[in-house]
Amino acid sequence: MIRSFVDVPADSHFPIQNLPYGVFSPHGGGDPRVGVRIGDWVLDLAEIADAGLFTGPYLIAADGVFAQPSLNAFMSLGRQAWQEAREMVQRLLNADSAALQGNEALRQRALWRIDNVEMQVPAAVGDYTDFYSSREHASNVGSLFRDPDNPLLPNWLHLPVAYHGRASSIVPSGQGVRRPFGQRGPEKGGAPHFGPTEKLDFELEVGAFVGPGNRLGERVPVEEAERHIFGLVLVNDWSARDIQAWEYRPLGPFLGKSFATTVSPWVVPLAALEPFRVDGPPQSPEPLPYLRHEEPCAFDIHLEVRLQGEGMAGPATITRTNLRHLYWRLCQQVAHHTVNGCNLRPGDLLASGTVSGSEPGSYGSLLELSRNGERPLTLPGGETRTFLEDGDTVTLSGWCQGDGYRVGFGELTGRVLPAHP
C-alpha cells in the first residue's frame, strides 16, 4: 500500500489513495484555485503547474486549468487528462519521491493547512438534476402519501425518475440555510396558509459532477456513461415538506426544494472509488435495452447523518445507510438523462435522490424517520424531532472502507437559520 510523506491520520478520509479535488481560497487573500486534499493539507495544483511538474501531454496542452475558480475547465478535459493528473499527484506525494518532499520552497508555497483555507462550491453548476433512485425511499414516500399496498407509481421500475432543480441556490458546506416561506395546504377544507415551513427536512444524497458532456441531439450509451462522470460529492437537498406537498401536483417540486441545496467541498474521482465497485440491487423487471449494463456500476459507500440541536452537548447519528442500495445506478441515470438528446455540460450536477435502506435507522430523511411527524425521533438528552428546528445543524458524511485506509468525502454541514421576519 503506497503512503504519502505527508502525515495522514489512520482514520482520515483523505489518504493518498483518495486525492479528491476541490476549489479553495487562502484565508490571507488570493484568488480561488484548484487543490487536492491529502490528510489535513491541501496541495495547490496551480503552484504545482507553475513549477512545471505536470509533464503529461494532455495537461501541458491545457495550461491554466488549475488557476481557476471552479473545476469546470479541468473536468472538461476528460478521463486521460484526469488520469495524468492523478498519477502525477500520487508520485509527488509518495513517501518514496523527492520531487516535492525534497523541495522545501515549493512545499511552503504549495501545501496549505486545511484550517488556513476557505472551501468553495467545487464547480460552476449550469444545470442540476435530482433523481429519485432509491426504491426504499420511493416506497416509503408512496406508502405515506398514496397507497401502502402499491407505493410505487407504474413508471418507477422502468426508468430513473428525476426533475430539474435550481442551480442558482446550490451552496457550499458550512453555509447556513434560511427557513423558507411558502404556501401550505388547507386544513379541513379551508384556505391555504402562507408562512415559514413547519416541516423542514434534510435529504441524504450523493451527487455526480459531469465532465465532458454530449452534443445536443446525441445520447450517451450506458456502457460509456462513466466516461462522462468526473467524480462524486455528498448532497443535502433540503426540503420543505409541507410546501412541497401542496405545490407538487401536477408538475412536481418547486419552492419546496429550490431554496437551498448543499454540496460537500471535495469531489472524489471515480478512479479512487474503483476498488469499491459492486453490483447494485437486482432489477426486476429487466430494464429496457438502453439501460442494461454488463459491468457493475454501483459503489460501496457508507453514509451517515448526524443532527445536533442548539441545546445538545454533541451530535447524534440518526441514519446509517449505503449507496450500494441505490436501485438506479449512476450509469443508468446518465444514459436515461441523455437518451432524448439532452446535452450534459461540464459542471452539471446529477444527484441520486434520497438514499434510504430497508430499516428505520437507515432512512435518508426525517420524513421517513418520523413517518411524516407521526413518530417523533428521540435524541440524546430527551429532545425529540419530527422535522428540523431553527439552530439545528445537520452533518452528512460518507466513506469507503479499504484494507487499512478509507476513501472518504469528509463532511457536509448546514445549520438551520430562522425565517426572515
Side-chain angles (χ1 to χ4, degrees):
M1 186 173 70
I2 61 171
R3 298 191 181 277
S4 173
F5 72 84
V6 177
D7 183 48
V8 177
D11 60 349
S12 173
H13 284 202
F14 306 109
I16 195 171
Q17 289 81 5
N18 189 352
L19 302 181
Y21 295 92
V23 174
F24 73 98
S25 300
H27 281 166
D31 295 329
R33 76 289 299 267
V34 175
V36 160
R37 181 76 181 263
I38 178 73
D40 295 328
W41 298 81
V42 180
L43 180 65
D44 186 336
L45 295 190
E47 285 286 355
I48 295 299
D50 285 346
L53 296 181
F54 284 119
T55 56
Y58 293 97
L59 295 177
I60 289 175
D63 185 45
V65 293
F66 299 121
Q68 299 285 338
S70 77
L71 282 164
N72 292 48
F74 178 50
M75 291 192 295
S76 70
L77 297 180
R79 182 177 288 186
Q80 290 173 301
W82 307 339
Q83 188 62 28
E84 267 187 10
R86 180 173 174 80
E87 290 174 356
M88 187 70 243
V89 171
Q90 278 193 329
R91 285 198 296 269
L92 289 174
L93 292 173
N94 195 305
D96 297 329
S97 171
L100 180 59
Q101 185 177 189
N103 188 334
E104 184 178 356
L106 181 56
R107 287 202 323 274
Q108 293 292 329
R109 297 196 308 272
L111 281 170
W112 297 82
R113 288 283 305 182
I114 188 63
D115 50 7
N116 288 333
V117 302
E118 180 179 356
M119 300 306 300
Q120 318 289 330
V121 174
V125 182
D127 284 294
Y128 164 47
T129 302
D130 193 23
F131 282 86
Y132 190 50
S133 291
S134 165
R135 182 171 185 167
E136 290 80 4
H137 174 67
S139 297
N140 290 338
V141 173
S143 67
L144 281 171
F145 296 111
R146 287 190 296 275
D147 181 358
D149 295 324
N150 296 285
L152 298 178
L153 289 172
N155 65 346
W156 200 93
L157 292 172
H158 296 276
L159 57 85
V161 173
Y163 77 98
H164 289 286
R166 182 72 184 175
S168 65
S169 53
I170 293 175
V171 298
S173 174
Q175 180 169 316
V177 171
R178 184 74 61 181
R179 183 178 295 273
F181 281 83
Q183 286 192 32
R184 304 192 303 274
E187 297 177 5
K188 299 180 180 179
H193 303 274
F194 176 77
T197 178
E198 295 179 354
K199 292 185 175 183
L200 183 60
D201 202 356
F202 66 86
E203 288 192 349
L204 170 60
E205 305 193 23
V206 173
F209 273 115
V210 174
N214 58 300
R215 294 179 181 177
L216 183 65
E218 297 181 358
R219 69 187 195 182
V220 176
V222 66
E223 61 271 13
E224 297 179 14
E226 288 189 2
R227 300 184 67 85
H228 295 263
I229 298 175
F230 175 73
L232 306 186
V233 290
L234 301 175
V235 175
N236 183 351
D237 193 30
W238 306 84
S239 298
R241 299 299 188 183
D242 43 4
I243 297 172
Q244 181 182 356
W246 174 237
E247 72 181 1
Y248 84 101
R249 296 176 181 176
L251 294 181
F254 186 40
L255 301 184
K257 303 283 284 185
S258 62
F259 60 95
T261 300
T262 305
V263 298
S264 57
W266 297 107
V267 187
V268 178
L270 287 192
L273 297 172
E274 190 62 36
F276 310 100
R277 187 181 293 274
V278 293
D279 291 313
Q283 293 182 320
S284 179
E286 185 179 28
L288 292 173
Y290 79 96
L291 291 170
R292 296 175 195 166
H293 58 91
E294 297 295 329
E295 299 298 323
C297 62
F299 296 94
D300 182 9
I301 303 175
H302 174 83
L303 299 169
E304 289 189 356
V305 179
R306 299 190 295 276
L307 190 154
Q308 183 171 3
E310 287 188 316
M312 293 172 58
T317 300
I318 59 173
T319 291
R320 292 184 176 93
T321 188
N322 196 295
L323 190 68
R324 70 186 305 160
H325 300 313
L326 205 66
Y327 187 89
W328 293 107
R329 293 58 141 158
L330 300 175
C331 60
Q332 293 173 317
Q333 292 173 5
V334 172
H336 184 68
H337 202 310
T338 62
V339 74
N340 68 341
C342 174
N343 56 319
L344 299 176
R345 298 175 295 184
D348 284 356
L349 179 64
L350 311 183
S352 63
T354 304
V355 182
S356 291
S358 58
E359 301 298 326
S362 64
Y363 297 162
S365 67
L366 282 171
L367 177 70
E368 299 163 87
L369 290 166
S370 74
R371 295 291 297 173
N372 195 26
E374 295 177 359
R375 301 176 187 171
L377 208 65
T378 301
L379 303 173
E383 291 192 39
T384 61
R385 289 292 186 279
T386 53
F387 291 95
L388 295 173
E389 298 182 1
D390 292 349
D392 283 352
T393 297
V394 178
T395 300
L396 275 56
S397 185
W399 65 87
C400 306
Q401 186 61 56
D403 185 8
Y405 69 96
R406 283 183 173 180
V407 168
F409 294 81
E411 294 183 342
L412 178 161
T413 63
R415 183 171 178 268
V416 178
L417 305 178
H420 278 297

